[in-house]
């Protein structure tokens, strides 16, 4: 089955700086990679996703890049703000599997 | 409010109790999922239902018993739980088990076993 590793487990950044979270996956058949943000006491919410036929996707201050050859994908947050503080989860799914395998999460803290 | 609603939000139960968690989705999805979220651990998939049929049981102990009467409702029946079962239990839904766009989580039930 799929195995997803996520690094780092915690990330502290100054407001305005960029944050990068990296994930690797094991199943070369995986072709859907969503990212979720979970604020304290709240549900995980989808913030961006990417399919394997695309190398990069951007939505305002958030971007995701995918390297299929190396089997890793990354979340980039630019111009971080205190409201970006949360736990971020990556996930991967092969079409034929039909379910998401999650990384362990990254606690992001943005300090003013 | 999210299209996936979970009740109760918080639950404290003794090890000999029987309780049920409820999940309801108003998104027209056909697949529903139960996850367990423990501190410092990845989200663990427990069960998958697709068009009311269970398609995945991820080696979950029998003290957890799911039920899916229709595509909009999912239950998790609990009995004789252990303290290590204390966690946040999340329900999710998607269009179906092969279409994961719009994969939406509920707010979860925070379960404490005493």
């Amino acid at each position: 089955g799929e195995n997803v590793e996520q690094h780092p487990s915690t990330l502290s950044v100054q407001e305005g700086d960029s944050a990068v979270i990296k994930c690797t996956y094991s199943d070369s058949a995986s072709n859907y990679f969503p990212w979720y943000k979970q604020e304290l006491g709240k549900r995980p919410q989808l913030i961006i996703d990417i399919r394997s036929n695309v190398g990069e996707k951007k939505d305002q201050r958030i971007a995701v890049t995918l390297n299929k050859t190396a089997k890793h994908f990354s979340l980039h947050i630019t111009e971080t703000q205190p409201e970006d503080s949360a736990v971020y989860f990556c996930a991967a799914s092969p079409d034929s599997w039909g379910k998401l395998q999650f990384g362990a999460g990254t606690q992001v803290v943005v300090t003013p | 409010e999210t299209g996936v609603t979970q009740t109760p939000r918080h639950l404290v139960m003794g090890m000999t109790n029987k309780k049920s968690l409820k999940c309801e989705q108003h998104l027209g999805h056909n697949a529903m999922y139960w996850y367990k979220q423990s501190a410092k651990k990845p989200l663990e998939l427990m069960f998958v239902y697709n068009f009311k049929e269970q398609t995945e049981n991820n080696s979950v102990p029998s003290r957890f018993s799911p039920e899916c009467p229709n595509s909009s409702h999912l239950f998790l029946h609990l009995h004789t739980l252990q303290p290590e079962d204390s966690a946040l239990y999340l329900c999710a839904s998607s269009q179906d088990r092969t279409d994961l766009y719009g994969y939406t989580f509920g707010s979860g039930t925070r379960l404490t076993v005493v």
Side-chain angles (χ1 to χ4, degrees), chain A residues 32 36 38 41-44 46 49 51 89 93 95-100 102-104, chain B residues 2 9 33 35 37 41-43 45 56 88 90 97-98 100-101 103-107:
Chain A
Y32 176 61
Y36 287 83
Q38 187 175 27
K42 296 188 177 181
R43 65 188 177 97
L46 179 69
D49 57 7
R51 279 209 180 274
F89 294 95
S93 176
D95 254 353
S96 60
W97 201 14
K99 56 188 177 186
L100 291 175
F102 285 86
Chain B
T2 174
R9 293 295 303 273
Y33 311 81
Y35 284 87
Q37 187 176 32
K41 295 176 78 173
L43 280 159
L45 180 66
E56 187 83 19
L88 180 67
L90 289 160
R97 69 186 297 266
T98 62
L100 301 181
Y101 277 115
Y103 202 104
T104 303
F105 284 92
S107 298

Side-chain angles (χ1 to χ4, degrees), chain B residues 30-91:
Chain B
N30 296 300
M32 297 186 77
Y33 311 81
W34 278 118
Y35 284 87
K36 176 183 179 183
Q37 187 176 32
S38 304
K40 308 296 183 184
K41 295 176 78 173
L43 280 159
E44 300 173 56
L45 180 66
M46 300 175 71
F47 300 104
V48 179
Y49 278 83
N50 198 49
F51 292 91
K52 302 190 299 178
E53 299 297 320
Q54 187 179 129
T55 59
E56 187 83 19
N57 177 336
N58 225 19
S59 303
V60 180
S62 60
R63 58 185 184 271
F64 295 90
S65 175
E67 179 189 2
C68 188
N70 54 61
S71 292
S72 299
H73 294 85
L74 184 65
F75 295 89
L76 187 63
H77 304 299
L78 316 171
H79 65 96
T80 59
L81 294 191
Q82 305 298 311
E84 59 265 29
D85 296 323
S86 299
L88 180 67
Y89 288 84
L90 289 160
C91 173

Side-chain angles (χ1 to χ4, degrees), chain A:
Chain A
E2 177 64 277
N3 182 46
V4 177
E5 294 191 359
Q6 183 172 348
H7 300 280
S9 57
T10 59
L11 180 60
S12 293
V13 295
Q14 285 289 117
E15 182 177 358
D17 288 349
S18 295
V20 180
I21 304 170
K22 298 182 179 180
C23 289
T24 60
Y25 60 98
S26 60
D27 191 338
S28 57
S30 287
N31 62 7
Y32 176 61
F33 307 93
W35 286 88
Y36 287 83
K37 174 184 180 183
Q38 187 175 27
E39 297 177 36
L40 190 63
K42 296 188 177 181
R43 65 188 177 97
Q45 286 193 286
L46 179 69
I47 55 172
I48 195 168
D49 57 7
I50 191 170
R51 279 209 180 274
S52 59
N53 57 352
V54 176
E56 183 175 358
K57 185 176 177 180
K58 189 174 181 180
D59 183 2
Q60 299 181 5
R61 296 186 296 108
I62 294 173
V64 57
T65 58
L66 171 66
N67 184 327
K68 283 187 65 180
T69 304
K71 290 191 283 189
H72 66 71
F73 56 112
S74 302
L75 179 72
H76 304 254
I77 307 173
T78 58
E79 301 172 26
T80 53
Q81 301 168 4
E83 53 263 39
D84 294 328
S85 296
V87 178
Y88 291 80
F89 294 95
C90 63
S93 176
D95 254 353
S96 60
W97 201 14
K99 56 188 177 186
L100 291 175
Q101 184 68 38
F102 285 86
T106 297
Q107 175 75 60
V108 173
V109 177
V110 180
T111 53

